[in-house]
Amino acid sequence: MRNRPTLFTASWNYICRLPWRFLWRTLWPGACHLTVVIALCWASFALAEGFPKGRWVDLSHDFAEDTLYWPTADKFNKHTVFAGETDKGYYYSAYNLAAAEHGGTHVDAPVHFGRGRQSVDQIPLQQLIGPAVVIRVAGQIPQAGKGANRNYLISVADIERWEQQHGKLERDTIVLFDTGSAQYWPDPVKYLGTAERGKAAVDKLNFPGLSPEAAIFLADARGIKAVGLDTPSIDYGASKLFKAHRELFKRNVPALENVTNLQALPEKGFTLIALPMKIRGGSGGPTRVVGFIPKD
C-alpha cells in the first residue's frame, strides 16, 4: 500500500504532460485514453485510502490427520500423488483429499436437518459475512476432566445477560458462542468426550451446545443470520433429537461448528467472514472462518 500515493502522483503528472492539441485532433482515441488514465488515478487513490486498517484473526482449525470428526464420519485423509523433484529438474507436489462434510471447522447448511432448505452452495454470501458478536459462557461450564459433565445447554438467559452489558442484538448479526472448548483441540476425550469411533461412541459424546429455546429466540426474536460454536455440534453432546439444528435450519439459519480463537475477538465490533467449500447440493463443507477487527 505504501507505493499507491506514488502511483497516483505519477499518473496525474502524466496527465499534465499529455499533448492536448493532438488529443483535440484525434478526439475520440484521446478521450478514451484520458478516461483510462483518470480511472487509474482514482483506483490507486481508493486502494491507498479506502480499505480500513485493522487486524485479522483466523478462527479455523487446519485439516490434518488429527482433525476431529463425528465418531461415525470418515476422517480427513491426504494422500500424496507426488512430492519431489521431477525428471525436468523442478519441484512439484500434489495431493488427493477425502473427508466427510462435517468435521474440522465447517458450516452446517440448513438442508443438513431441513428438507428442501438451502444446501451449502445456496447459502447467500451475505449470510456468512457481516457484523458479529461473541457471547462467552465458558465460566458456566465445567473444565474437561474425568467424570466432568460438559453437556451444558446455552440458554436464553445467557444471551440476555450479554445484552444487559452490550445492548440488544441487532438484526442480521452473526452470533458466536465461546464455551472454552477450543482449548482442548485436538484431544478427542476432552473435546468430544470420547476417543472411541463408531455408532456406540455417539452415546458417550460430552460437550456444550445451544438449547432449542435459545435457537428459536436468536432466529425469531433477534433475526440473526448465522450462529457458530467452538464445539463439534450446535446441539450438546448428549442430544438425540438435534432440536437446535432443526429449529435453526427450518428457518434457513446456517451454523458454524468447531470454530477456534474466539478469545482473540472482542465481544462486539468486528466482522466475520466464513467461506465454505462450494459443494453443489452439499449439507455442509470445510470452511475458512476469519474475523476482522477494525483499528480504532
Side-chain angles (χ1 to χ4, degrees), residues 11-157:
S11 300
W12 180 251
N13 289 338
Y14 176 69
I15 292 174
C16 295
R17 294 196 301 269
L18 286 173
W20 293 101
R21 290 183 180 176
F22 174 75
L23 286 175
W24 180 257
R25 288 195 302 266
T26 57
L27 182 59
W28 177 245
C32 291
H33 181 70
L34 180 60
T35 301
V36 171
V37 174
I38 293 175
L40 286 172
C41 291
W42 281 109
S44 64
F45 180 76
L47 287 170
E49 305 294 335
F51 198 83
K53 296 180 180 179
R55 178 166 58 92
W56 292 95
V57 179
D58 193 346
L59 306 175
S60 313
H61 293 290
D62 57 11
F63 283 84
E65 292 181 359
D66 60 354
T67 297
L68 298 178
Y69 280 78
W70 203 253
T72 56
D74 291 340
K75 299 192 71 175
F76 180 82
N77 180 269
K78 176 184 173 185
H79 173 71
T80 302
V81 176
F82 188 90
E85 296 294 325
T86 69
D87 56 3
K88 302 294 190 301
Y90 57 84
Y91 177 82
Y92 173 77
S93 64
Y95 307 88
N96 287 334
L97 306 178
E101 292 174 315
H102 301 275
T105 304
H106 69 281
V107 68
D108 277 6
V111 77
H112 189 33
F113 278 87
R115 186 187 301 274
R117 296 300 187 259
Q118 295 166 343
S119 56
V120 69
D121 57 312
Q122 295 171 335
I123 302 173
L125 285 175
Q126 61 268 26
Q127 199 162 355
L128 294 173
I129 300 174
V133 305
V134 177
I135 297 178
R136 306 192 193 280
V137 296
Q140 288 150 244
I141 302 171
Q143 293 286 305
K146 189 173 182 179
N149 182 7
R150 288 177 45 78
N151 285 300
Y152 181 81
L153 280 170
I154 299 168
S155 66
V156 174

Side-chain angles (χ1 to χ4, degrees), residues 169-216:
L169 285 170
E170 296 182 7
R171 187 173 184 81
D172 289 332
T173 296
I174 300 172
V175 179
L176 306 175
F177 290 94
D178 181 1
T179 72
S181 297
Q183 64 182 307
Y184 304 123
W185 183 279
D187 185 325
V189 175
K190 292 182 178 180
Y191 190 81
L192 290 166
T194 180
E196 296 179 22
R197 302 278 299 160
K199 189 174 181 180
V202 175
D203 291 334
K204 300 179 181 180
L205 294 173
N206 180 11
F207 52 80
L210 191 64
S211 71
E213 296 78 15
I216 295 170

